[in-house]
Amino acid sequence: MLSHEMRRHALRRYVVFRVKAIEFLDIGALWQSLNKNEFCPKTPVGRTTNDFADSLRTVQLSWFALFVDKSRDGLNVIELWKQLFPKHRVGIESAWQRMKPAWDILREFRDRAGFHADNPVKFFNARRRILLENQLVTEALKEFEHLFKTLLNAEATELPELEQAVDSLLDELEGDHGHKYNRSEFKRYLIIPTTSDSASH
């Protein structure tokens, strides 16, 4: 079991993950719509629906790599999930084993062509590798999304203090910086049911 202070710290890290993860789901929804040719934004250079989908794919895969990265700059969400959802530990570890074969490909892509840009040869080789290993990468992405949605559904019973953790974090931020958050809107963004009628800031 995590100590009170360790759990508090883990919950705050989880709030950061949830902000990024909701954006990740937004990106995924847009990518799906573009991939199905349901709409195409207009641009001066005549980009096609497929062009837009490819651009969003770059962001989506880079975000995915950020989530699972264990380095200082990553969110290391696999370990975080195991800490906060111990009942799902076996399922989380099993899912990670199914994602793991794509990890080196994703990390190289993010570092050389996604969130960063390496020298031209490494940049284009990383993009090419994603295309060559598309099935492996897509399967890992689907595995991650399925696991995330499963744990999202488990929050109500296994993370009952999540809303309180959000309030505590916002209290601290507001005290430090004087910026007032609209808490109901913030929680709606995170898909956290508001159980207490916090004042709108």
Side-chain angles (χ1 to χ4, degrees):
M1 290 290 291
L2 294 176
S3 69
H4 174 74
E5 188 58 30
M6 288 176 65
R7 186 168 179 84
R8 175 179 174 275
H9 179 65
L11 281 164
R12 287 187 165 203
R13 287 172 51 217
Y14 186 71
V15 171
V16 173
F17 162 72
R18 286 284 266 97
V19 170
K20 303 297 291 181
I22 294 301
E23 294 169 347
F24 172 78
L25 293 179
D26 289 346
I27 291 166
L30 283 173
W31 181 79
Q32 292 275 1
S33 296
L34 288 164
N35 215 31
K36 294 175 183 176
N37 206 28
E38 292 177 350
F39 77 99
C40 182
K42 294 179 181 178
T43 71
V45 293
R47 298 276 285 172
T48 67
T49 304
N50 288 337
D51 293 332
F52 270 99
D54 288 344
S55 294
L56 280 179
R57 186 71 161 177
T58 295
V59 180
Q60 188 181 41
L61 295 180
S62 298
W63 231 285
F64 178 24
L66 171 70
F67 291 150
V68 299
D69 193 353
K70 296 182 179 182
S71 73
R72 183 187 62 177
D73 296 326
L75 288 172
N76 196 7
V77 75
I78 301 299
E79 291 303 315
L80 183 60
W81 273 333
K82 287 192 288 187
Q83 290 177 23
L84 293 175
F85 298 94
K87 294 179 183 177
H88 296 266
R89 187 181 186 90
V90 172
I92 293 166
E93 290 176 345
S94 296
W96 170 240
Q97 289 306 312
R98 292 189 289 272
M99 291 181 242
K100 199 172 180 180
W103 169 232
D104 286 341
I105 301 166
L106 288 161
R107 178 173 54 193
E108 178 185 39
F109 177 74
R110 180 203 59 191
D111 292 348
R112 294 181 174 175
F115 282 166
H116 307 284
D118 210 321
N119 71 60
V121 171
K122 290 181 179 180
F123 176 85
F124 286 108
N125 279 343
R127 290 168 64 94
R128 177 174 173 273
R129 192 177 179 197
I130 285 288
L131 295 175
L132 292 175
E133 301 288 356
N134 181 60
Q135 183 175 348
L136 187 67
V137 169
T138 298
E139 288 173 358
L141 190 62
K142 288 180 178 177
E143 190 72 45
F144 177 84
E145 289 177 342
H146 176 72
L147 178 59
F148 170 51
K149 290 174 183 177
T150 297
L151 297 176
L152 197 64
N153 290 330
E155 284 181 358
T157 55
E158 298 185 41
L159 294 183
E161 71 273 56
L162 181 57
E163 184 189 354
Q164 182 181 355
V166 171
D167 279 324
S168 172
L169 178 58
L170 294 182
D171 284 342
E172 184 175 321
L173 292 171
E174 288 173 348
D176 289 344
H177 306 294
H179 176 78
K180 299 297 183 183
Y181 289 85
N182 183 322
R183 299 189 180 213
S184 295
E185 183 178 322
F186 192 90
K187 292 171 188 177
R188 181 187 61 77
Y189 173 74
L190 292 178
I191 319 178
I192 298 173
T194 303
T195 56
S196 60
D197 188 16
S198 299
S200 179
H201 296 292

